[in-house]
Amino acid sequence: MKVKCVLCDKIESIDDESLIAKRLRNRPIHTYMCKQCNDRIAEKTNLRIATGNFRFNRPKTEDQEW
């Protein structure tokens, strides 16, 4: 299966039977990102987290006592 990176428009081939290929076929909202772009984003995110100015916008969960 040929896929195109959404950031750098690089075209790559992936195995038709892989989990990534199945997700791309069955759910059109999923997009493909090449290894280099994925690593670059992960590195920059980790640098932002290390500065202390990065906030996760996750809902606060309240512990329920049974």
Side-chain angles (χ1 to χ4, degrees), residues 35-52:
K35 177 93 170 119
Q36 293 84 10
C37 290
N38 194 14
D39 291 343
R40 181 174 47 89
I41 289 175
E43 179 183 336
K44 290 190 177 204
T45 302
N46 288 333
L47 288 174
R48 287 176 48 208
I49 290 172
T51 63

Side-chain angles (χ1 to χ4, degrees), residues 17-58:
E17 303 299 323
S18 67
L19 183 61
I20 297 170
K22 183 179 178 182
R23 285 181 180 159
L24 291 171
R25 277 194 306 270
N26 293 334
R27 296 181 185 97
I29 193 72
H30 287 232
T31 56
Y32 178 77
M33 201 168 18
C34 66
K35 177 93 170 119
Q36 293 84 10
C37 290
N38 194 14
D39 291 343
R40 181 174 47 89
I41 289 175
E43 179 183 336
K44 290 190 177 204
T45 302
N46 288 333
L47 288 174
R48 287 176 48 208
I49 290 172
T51 63
N53 294 331
F54 187 78
R55 287 188 291 159
F56 289 104
N57 293 325
R58 295 181 182 159

